[in-house]
Amino acid sequence: LDLYAVIGNPVAHSKSPLIHTIFAQQTNQSIQYDARLAPLEGFISVVENFRQQGGKGLNVTVPFKLEAYQLSTHLTERARTAQAVNTLKFENDEILGDNTDGIGLVRDIESNLGIAIAAKRILLLGAGGASRGVILPLLQRQPALLTIANRTLHKAEALQQQFIPHGDIVAVDFMDFPDDKFDIIINATSASLHDALPQIPAEIFSHAILAYDMMYSQEPTRFLKFAQQNGVQQWADGTGMLVEQAAESFFFWRGINPQTKPVITMLKSQA
Ligand code: ATR
């Protein structure tokens, strides 16, 4: 039985153990997957402990993605540009770091929701770690333009500078919103965690195909309610992204693609 876990703080409500246990059953893999709570100052010792027990890989969640990035001896390109790692694989003495969040978002939008990103005008709200993690995979789908909007403009500008070699990307702040029309509006701010709504104009939703909140929750977030009230065609929370990033982590570890749709359906029906 190969040992895997999700490490975070808090971690008790993580759906990853359930998702990976279902993936393992689907694909006949003998793995055990549990949750490890690390003290805020104790990430590295919990990881070392886990490796000594023979652990093969970890999913890393809040607030340890940067520490996991720093701990990795090898990084995938998407982890390097995200400057964050959500998936660790232990092989001999090496610690391989990947970031599957962005591809998880892209797959959910394209494969599950059926909306192509290529040639679309994308608005990404927020310029923190969650936002940085998804920019490269979004740009690789070749949208017409990726606009990053943030309450604090200089953080959006720093991301624009970092990612300009990878595609068409601009930075704006919430006070100076362009009246461009957007097709896909993604909330990567942490506002939904605090039941808050980023101060965005209502009009931006009237031409939008999709409003996407990277957070998942029982109730629609304020962002999704606001988008619905203002005419967006379709909306989704981050449940599909969660399952898709898990599937890509599972592939990174086991080299097998599990089926995501039944797991997404199950999680959405539990909500
Ligand atoms: P994460 O890792 O979740 O991205 P973070 O790096 O702390 O967390 O970034 C939080 C993001 O959410 C930032 O873009 C933040 O905006 P500021 O840079 O202006 O602080 C954004 N954010 C948080 N609460 C918000 C709110 N109520 N309205 C708008 N933006 C908010």
Side-chain angles (χ1 to χ4, degrees):
L1 219 61
D2 288 339
L3 187 58
Y4 297 88
V6 56
I7 180 169
N9 186 337
V11 79
H13 296 288
S14 170
K15 305 237 184 251
S16 293
L18 172 65
I19 295 169
H20 283 277
T21 301
I22 298 172
F23 287 167
Q25 285 164 357
Q26 275 180 10
T27 57
N28 286 316
Q29 298 286 297
S30 325
I31 74 166
Q32 185 191 322
Y33 189 112
D34 56 39
R36 306 274 164 129
L37 177 69
L40 292 176
E41 303 298 325
F43 172 72
I44 290 180
S45 56
V46 174
V47 172
E48 280 314 316
N49 223 324
F50 179 76
R51 283 177 83 188
Q52 274 154 27
Q53 288 172 17
K56 301 266 193 233
L58 286 168
N59 280 130
V60 181
T61 183
V62 176
F64 300 123
K65 290 182 188 184
L66 179 62
E67 279 182 84
Y69 166 75
Q70 288 160 344
L71 189 66
S72 302
T73 59
H74 293 73
L75 291 164
T76 59
E77 187 196 12
R78 60 197 184 193
R80 196 163 0 92
T81 54
Q83 293 168 29
V85 158
N86 79 335
T87 311
L88 292 169
K89 178 159 81 172
F90 306 117
E91 265 181 12
N92 309 316
D93 285 341
E94 284 165 5
I95 303 178
L96 313 180
D98 193 6
N99 190 317
T100 64
D101 288 328
I103 191 72
L105 172 68
V106 165
R107 293 238 172 93
D108 193 36
I109 292 174
E110 295 204 321
S111 311
N112 300 328
L113 302 172
I115 298 169
I117 291 168
K120 297 283 171 25
R121 294 155 302 180
I122 315 280
L123 174 62
L124 182 63
L125 303 171
S131 187
R132 195 198 295 108
V134 300
I135 293 174
L136 181 66
L138 284 171
L139 287 176
Q140 285 172 334
R141 306 305 298 161
Q142 301 195 313
L145 181 65
L146 178 61
T147 301
I148 305 182
N150 199 44
R151 191 173 56 180
T152 315
L153 177 61
H154 72 87
K155 290 199 215 163
E157 287 173 339
L159 288 180
Q160 180 204 16
Q161 287 307 312
Q162 184 191 343
F163 286 97
I164 238 168
H166 299 279
D168 288 327
I169 181 166
V170 297
V172 302
D173 70 28
F174 290 163
M175 307 305 288
D176 174 30
F177 225 83
D179 56 3
D180 294 0
K181 296 183 176 67
F182 299 105
D183 302 306
I184 299 175
I185 301 174
I186 301 166
N187 184 16
T189 71
S190 54
S192 298
L193 280 176
H194 318 295
D195 197 29
L197 181 68
Q199 296 301 303
I200 41 176
E203 306 82 70
I204 59 174
F205 293 102
S206 58
H207 296 276
I209 309 169
L210 174 68
Y212 195 101
D213 200 324
M214 282 170 44
M215 208 185 88
Y216 60 93
S217 64
Q218 307 277 4
E219 291 293 308
T221 62
R222 289 189 56 189
F223 167 78
L224 290 182
K225 283 190 210 151
F226 187 68
Q228 285 165 36
Q229 285 157 5
N230 291 293
V232 76
Q233 284 175 33
Q234 203 177 327
W235 58 87
D237 75 2
T239 305
M241 175 178 175
L242 174 75
V243 175
E244 294 295 341
Q245 64 78 29
E248 188 70 8
S249 297
F250 192 88
F251 181 81
F252 186 61
W253 294 324
R254 310 298 298 185
I256 296 175
N257 281 312
Q259 281 186 292
T260 52
K261 287 220 169 111
V263 184
I264 295 170
T265 305
M266 184 203 72
L267 289 180
K268 286 195 170 167
S269 70
Q270 281 181 351

